[in-house]
Structure formats: structure tokens, C-alpha cells
Amino acid sequence: MALALDGRLVERNLVDLLHDADEIRTVEASTPGEKVALIEFLLAICYASGTYPASAAEWPAWVDEKDALRPAAEWLAKRPEDEVWDLFHPTEPLGQNSLLAPFIDQHGAGPAQLVIERVGDYNQFFDHHHLEHPRPLPAAQAFRAMLTQHVYGPAGRARISGKETLGPTITNLAATRLGTRIRVIALGSTLGETLRLNLAPVSGPPGELNLSWTPGKDRRGFKAKPNGRPVSGPADLHSYLGRSVLLRPTPEGDAVDRVLLGAGELLSLKDEHLQDAVYATKPDGTTKPLWASATRAVWRDAHSLYAAVADARASADANDGGSLYRRLALFPPEDVAPEPGQQPARRVDLWTVGLVAKQTTAITWVDGTFPFAPGLEVRLYLGSRHGSEIAEYVAAALSKAAYAAWTVAYPNPKPADKAGQIARFDVRGRHWAATREPFDLLMDEITLGEPVHECLLDYAATVSTAARRFLTECLDSLPRNSQGTKAQAAALKRFDDELALPKAPAELRGERERA
């Protein structure tokens, strides 16, 4: 079901969406980040309305309560007349900063500036002619794009004059709350179940819903860089205004024809505000929440998700439900594992989303979906960890094979040419791209009760066979002479030898012995 939101219709559409959440599969979106932003906004409304489980102990049963989100719809339908949910209100526009109103006609840009994927480099004082294009953006799309900017907007320098508007620091775009890390959302079979899976018990106040910049809390000024403000509760967290933005409607009021965008508010975040975060180790040895990478796909770190749940279940006696993974561990495990090929009684998909940015330029969205079933987290952890290790080892073997081909094909290379010459025989990029599908199949089969070792043997055979084929096809470019033949033979032998070494993953060696 599409979420059609136009100007004054925003509130009415959200009421219908929450009322019928258990009859809707999901919300539609043009990008993974936009879908996350919509879910974040719905979570904020649920928290603000008091629609969340009373305690961690009650959370598993509450997730299964059909129509448990209808109180949120009723709360929303009964909002006071003076509470504005109008995208184009003159003083309290939804999600926006009306203080920008005196400047939008002169300093605004075309609607493309609102859409993360269309901006280009967020150092926006560069020559960005495309941002002047006046083609209007439908109000529903503008609303979604605005929410996505609040949640995922990259860092950079805004295309706005601080001197001529609200102050010098309005040009300093900080990376917004999810702009630098992977967001993990537990997906259920319906939108209602998805929201309930991601709603946590609240120990203190739920916080305020951020509907507009001007009323309510003192957010920040733009004369000097502010400190991050404390979060008042989860409703505040999930609806915070990461950008100062203002949309100008067309005369018809059904589209946006001009946008002004600057720095938004900064938050002071604690561990309790990162309940879905999975921590990974950086090259320098420090840890931080798992981040999106253009060179390392999310599935290669999927074992971290299962490890978090497995660790929580291992300490079940002290499980306070203080994170998404600790709450998932509160689901009782199945009495027996599913028979091979049989769906588990409960299945939850862990959906990971991140924005890859190179400095101040948004590059692409990355996402992955990983199955979870209560009681199978150890199996899924072992399968995903060994699956990643197998893929890593095969990639290393391909790298060594490329080097072996280079030493024969280029006996007298110039040092400056070495990297490019080796890259000619390096097929690791094809290997990584082709391994995602077998890995997904591996995880699905384990969730269906198939033996982990047997699944890994099949996976290892698939991955290694495909990698050898990629290498062979790449080596076909060598000249049809003695030197070319020797280079091809050297590379293939090195690849085969690497997979037969004692240090190779057992599944690779086992598959070769079985063949």
C-alpha cells in the first residue's frame, strides 16, 4: 500500500495507516532509506501516543496482539484543532523551520535539493546547476524526501548564505542521526507487526513529537555551533528534525516548487538511543556501530546480528530487553527445531539499511535482509560466520591467483604499472557480487531446519566453483602462446592449491575431497 500524503491530508492518511496496520504488508518507498524514514516517523507517533509495551516481559505477547496500534490511530484522530499537521502551514509547517520563510523566494533552490540521491556533492557551494531546475515535486514525494533528509542527510556545506539568512552555522550540515551507521529493523509479516517488533518499553517519558521547528523546545540557534541537546524520549528521537528545511508550495498547493535547506538540530545520544546498533571493529582497533561501505557488503557481517541475540539468550536470567536483540531473545525458542524444509513457527527478518557516502557525496543505498527464528540464533550465527569466512578465503585465493598470473605474464614490469597489471586478473569484484545470492540461500535453508554443515558444504561448492569460473574467463584474455598458457596454468594451480591447504575452511576442503 502506498502512503499518499499531500499537504493537509498528512494526518488523515496516517490515521488510516495505523488503524489498518495489520492489514497492510508494508509501506512502499522508492529507496530503502525512504522506507526507514517512514517507519521512523510512524514509530515516533506510536511512542507519542503511549502505544508501546508496558515492560520487556510483556513485549513478546504484545507483539502478537492484532490491532494493538489502533490506540495510536485514535490518539492521532483526536489531536487538538490547533495542532498543525499541514505540510504548507504558514507558521508551523510539518517537519519544517518557518523561520526560513522570509528567505525562500530569493535564496531557495529547486525541489531536487530535497532528494538525497539527486543532490550530488553536499558541498553545495559548488556549481550545481541541476538544483535550480524548477520542475515541481509532488507533495507526497516531498514529504517522504523531507523525512529521509531528517534521518539520513549527509554532512557537507549547505547551499545557503548564513550571513543573509539565520546565521553562519546554518550552512554547516552535520550528518543526521542514521547517516553514518547501519539501521537494523525487525520485519514482521505486516506493517503492524513490524512496528510492534521495533517498539520498546519506555522507562521514562516518551518525549515530544517534533511536528515543526518553532513551537515547543528550544532547538538551537545559528549564530554559533550548538552542543547536542538531550533527547526527551523515543518520540523525540524518532521524529527529530535533522535539517532546517522549508518547502514552498505551488499555487495549486499539491506540489513543491522551491526548497530552502540548512543545518538542523544536533542530539546528544546515549547507548539507549542506539538499541538496534551492532558494533564492529575499525581498522585502527576501535569499535563503532556497523557502517555502510561501498566495498564491504552488509551480509559479510551478518553474524554480528545473530551473535547479539545469542549473547542475550545466554544471559536470559538478566535480560532486561534493553536492546532490539535482547528483546528478540525474549521470544521463547521452539521446543524442537523445524524439520528440514519446514518453516519455523515464528520468523522475523532483520533488515539492515545504510547510506554509503564518499566524504560529502551520497553514493548509494545498501541493504540486506537476514532471517531469524527464536532458538535458531546459534545455528544462524555459525552459518553466517562460516559463510563469510569461506567467501573471504576464496577472495584471498583469487587475489593470490591474480598475482601468480601477473608474475608470468609480465616478467619485466615497470613498478608504476604493477597495480594495474595485477588488477587485470583480479576477479574479486565479480566474486563478491555473485556470492550474495548463495549466502541468502544458505541462511534461508538453515532457517528451514537444514543441517548447518550440509548447507555450508553446498554453499562452499557453489562459491568456489563460481570463483574458479570467473578466474578462468578472465584468464582467457591472455595471448594464445606459451607465456599466456603458462600464466593461465600458474593462476589456476595457485587457486586450487590455496583451497586445498590445511588452513582453508573445512567446508572447502571437504567439498574437494568429496568431489
Side-chain angles (χ1 to χ4, degrees):
M1 172 181 175
L3 181 58
L5 300 166
D6 298 300
R8 297 179 183 273
L9 298 180
V10 170
E11 184 179 6
R12 180 69 257 165
N13 280 264
L14 291 173
V15 170
D16 293 340
L17 190 74
L18 289 167
H19 184 273
D20 300 329
D22 283 296
E23 300 171 14
I24 300 169
R25 176 71 182 88
T26 186
V27 287
E28 295 179 4
S30 59
T31 67
E34 182 180 275
K35 184 172 180 177
V36 169
L38 289 168
I39 291 174
E40 290 280 328
F41 193 61
L42 293 172
L43 291 174
I45 293 172
C46 290
Y47 280 119
S49 68
T51 308
Y52 47 83
S55 66
E58 294 181 16
W59 180 84
W62 186 79
V63 168
D64 290 332
E65 287 185 19
K66 302 295 184 183
D67 302 327
L69 301 182
R70 289 196 174 179
E74 294 167 1
W75 175 87
L76 194 56
K78 296 176 181 177
R79 301 314 301 151
E81 288 285 337
D82 59 350
E83 188 172 274
V84 180
W85 289 73
D86 184 353
L87 202 59
F88 302 133
H89 192 274
T91 59
E92 297 180 22
L94 183 63
Q96 300 160 67
N97 185 350
S98 63
L99 298 176
L100 295 170
F103 316 107
I104 191 168
D105 292 343
Q106 180 178 355
H107 298 284
Q113 188 187 31
L114 191 63
V115 183
I116 287 177
E117 302 82 10
R118 293 172 61 186
V119 172
D121 195 319
Y122 269 72
N123 272 328
Q124 292 178 25
F125 281 152
F126 290 164
D127 188 10
H128 284 14
H129 279 96
H130 70 286
L131 296 184
E132 294 297 342
H133 199 289
R135 182 179 179 182
L137 187 67
Q141 294 182 31
F143 176 75
R144 293 161 173 265
M146 178 188 68
L147 291 182
T148 310
Q149 279 281 359
H150 285 321
V151 175
Y152 277 107
R157 189 163 179 81
R159 198 168 182 265
I160 182 175
S161 170
K163 181 178 180 180
E164 297 179 32
T165 57
L166 296 180
T169 65
I170 198 170
T171 67
N172 301 329
L173 297 177
T176 51
R177 184 170 64 90
L178 301 181
T180 59
R181 72 173 182 91
I182 294 290
R183 172 69 159 107
V184 184
I185 289 179
L187 298 178
S189 59
T190 66
L191 174 62
E193 185 181 4
T194 293
L195 293 175
R196 290 192 294 274
L197 282 166
N198 294 279
L199 286 164
V202 179
S203 57
E208 305 85 3
L209 189 63
N210 297 299
L211 295 179
S212 185
W213 188 275
T214 43
K217 62 177 67 64
D218 182 19
R219 299 181 189 281
R220 63 168 289 184
F222 297 99
K223 303 301 183 183
K225 181 180 177 180
N227 295 321
R229 68 168 179 80
V231 178
S232 64
D236 179 23
L237 176 73
H238 291 283
S239 65
Y240 103 110
L241 305 177
R243 291 284 192 254
S244 266
V245 60
L246 188 64
L247 314 178
R248 190 181 75 180
T250 57
E252 298 77 15
D254 61 353
V256 171
D257 66 359
R258 203 146 185 85
V259 172
L260 193 55
L261 186 148
E265 52 185 344
L266 302 176
L267 298 181
S268 176
L269 298 179
K270 302 177 182 179
D271 288 343
E272 65 186 276
H273 305 128
L274 303 169
Q275 294 199 4
D276 65 298
V278 175
Y279 290 84
T281 303
K282 297 169 63 177
D284 63 4
T286 60
T287 60
K288 73 171 191 175
L290 189 63
W291 60 96
S293 169
T295 58
R296 186 174 180 85
V298 179
W299 64 261
R300 294 165 66 179
D301 292 299
H303 53 276
S304 300
L305 303 175
Y306 301 119
V309 184
D311 290 346
R313 191 170 304 276
S315 58
D317 292 341
N319 190 349
D320 59 358
S323 73
L324 171 64
Y325 310 102
R326 296 182 73 82
R327 288 191 295 278
L328 289 173
L330 291 171
F331 281 128
E334 302 302 318
D335 294 333
V336 294
E339 293 293 327
Q342 179 183 354
Q343 285 284 356
R346 178 188 296 277
R347 171 170 169 153
V348 174
D349 287 327
L350 299 177
W351 183 44
T352 59
V353 179
L355 177 64
V356 177
K358 182 178 181 181
Q359 296 177 337
T360 59
T361 302
I363 304 298
T364 189
W365 296 101
V366 294
D367 72 318
T369 303
F370 307 102
F372 165 79
L376 295 184
E377 51 268 11
V378 173
R379 290 188 184 191
L380 291 165
Y381 166 72
L382 291 173
S384 57
R385 182 169 68 83
H386 289 307
S388 181
E389 289 172 350
I390 289 167
E392 298 275 5
Y393 190 88
V394 170
L398 288 171
S399 178
K400 293 172 182 176
Y403 185 87
W406 171 75
T407 58
V408 178
Y410 297 96
N412 298 300
K414 295 180 180 178
D417 296 336
K418 178 180 178 180
Q421 291 167 350
I422 294 177
R424 173 186 174 185
F425 307 115
D426 190 347
V427 294
R428 285 178 293 175
R430 289 187 67 187
H431 159 69
W432 286 121
T435 305
R436 166 71 183 272
E437 185 175 340
F439 183 86
D440 288 344
L441 179 60
L442 167 71
M443 303 313 296
D444 277 333
E445 289 178 338
I446 294 173
T447 307
L448 293 174
E450 300 292 343
V452 175
H453 182 62
E454 292 298 319
C455 293
L456 285 169
L457 282 174
D458 292 340
Y459 165 82
T462 299
V463 170
S464 58
T465 300
R468 198 179 196 280
R469 184 178 75 253
F470 298 149
L471 180 61
T472 301
E473 292 171 354
C474 176
L475 296 170
D476 283 344
S477 66
L478 287 164
R480 306 294 184 181
N481 56 25
S482 175
Q483 188 176 22
T485 301
K486 289 179 180 178
Q488 185 178 55
L492 292 173
K493 183 177 185 302
R494 181 62 186 272
F495 180 77
D496 292 339
D497 288 348
E498 286 295 318
L499 267 59
L501 290 175
K503 68 178 182 179
E507 293 81 8
L508 287 170
R509 299 197 314 274
E511 181 56 34
R512 289 173 58 80
E513 292 165 2
R514 192 171 67 178

